[in-house]
Amino acid sequence: QYFDGGGVCFFHEGWHDYRIRGSFAGNAPNMAMEITVTKPVQAYVTMSQRDKRLMLSENKGYKYGAIMISVCQRADSNKYSVHLNSNPDPENPSEKFTFNYARDHAMKYTFTPSKDPYLVIPRVHGNTGVMPFTMGFMSDTAVGDGLTIRFRQLDADNKVFSNYPKFVYDPSATPLVEVEYQRLDPVYFVASTQRGTIIS
């Protein structure tokens, strides 16, 4: 009578929490996260859609999109490959492409030092029109302490959006994009909102 759902939250004391606003146009997001680390970084990457329980009555037909998160890494001289994707079990991402109709998705991933950056791509199945989402990055390492997060805008016709396991990506030729993001103070739990092409 009073509850419409429930959930379980993981709490890691002292971890760092970053949230980034984004949106899809068709099946292409307006940003992807470029991750560079100089030491191993454990992180949970999350993706959330608007909560349909809070939609106005005229939007009662609103449905969640089928979403997924892909972590990609350098494959050869001019291509990246999808390393792991999210699925209903956030502790065990897999190589399979598994889109799920859910408000939230998450995956645990350990980023290890590499001469090339990682690429974290929010994904949605099919043409959804304009669809807002929020990415989260919760890590045991703070930005600036061996962790850098930049925002890139991939071409809408990139093969990764057609579920190709390998696709062309050149960081130097892919434009940075300015987005709104939040960082949560790990001591006082106060969020500050900023805009930029890199989390600073």
Side-chain angles (χ1 to χ4, degrees):
Q1 182 179 357
Y2 299 104
F3 297 96
D4 192 20
V8 176
C9 296
F10 291 92
F11 178 73
H12 289 279
E13 186 173 0
W15 279 39
H16 305 268
D17 192 344
Y18 307 93
R19 305 295 168 103
I20 305 100
R21 288 186 183 275
S23 65
F24 288 103
N27 70 341
N30 68 330
M31 69 86 185
M33 302 164 62
E34 187 183 86
I35 310 294
T36 304
V37 299
T38 59
K39 60 183 180 181
V41 173
Q42 289 189 16
Y44 283 93
V45 184
T46 66
M47 179 179 173
S48 301
Q49 305 181 61
R50 295 172 64 187
D51 191 337
K52 67 180 181 182
R53 294 171 297 182
L54 303 178
M55 302 295 284
L56 298 176
S57 57
E58 60 265 28
N59 292 322
K60 281 188 175 178
Y62 172 78
K63 295 181 180 179
Y64 293 135
I67 57 175
M68 181 179 73
I69 304 165
S70 296
V71 176
C72 312
Q73 57 189 14
R74 174 73 69 186
D76 50 45
S77 59
N78 71 331
K79 288 190 177 181
Y80 265 57
S81 64
V82 177
H83 181 215
L84 291 174
N85 297 303
S86 62
N87 62 57
D89 182 359
E91 297 287 324
N92 293 291
S94 73
E95 296 179 357
K96 294 181 179 179
F97 288 74
T98 307
F99 292 90
N100 277 274
Y101 291 95
R103 186 177 76 92
D104 303 293
H105 240 236
M107 63 183 291
K108 184 179 181 180
Y109 194 89
T110 299
F111 297 87
T112 57
S114 170
K115 65 182 182 67
D116 296 297
Y118 292 85
L119 196 62
V120 177
I121 305 176
R123 299 289 316 281
V124 68
H125 181 69
N127 189 337
T128 62
V130 177
M131 181 182 124
F133 63 87
T134 300
M135 295 295 292
F137 193 89
M138 285 141 279
S139 59
D140 63 355
T141 301
V143 162
D145 184 24
L147 167 65
T148 303
I149 302 176
R150 293 183 175 87
F151 307 112
R152 301 279 184 181
Q153 185 163 24
L154 302 179
D155 289 337
D157 59 356
N158 192 296
K159 294 295 187 182
V160 71
F161 302 125
S162 298
N163 298 333
Y164 279 61
K166 285 188 177 183
F167 58 96
V168 174
Y169 175 66
D170 180 358
S172 64
T174 304
L176 291 165
V177 60
E178 185 177 284
V179 300
E180 182 179 284
Y181 66 87
Q182 289 185 330
R183 57 188 306 162
L184 184 69
D185 188 293
V187 177
Y188 299 103
F189 297 99
V190 176
S192 60
T193 302
Q194 298 174 260
R195 289 190 64 86
T197 60
I198 184 173
I199 294 180
S200 58

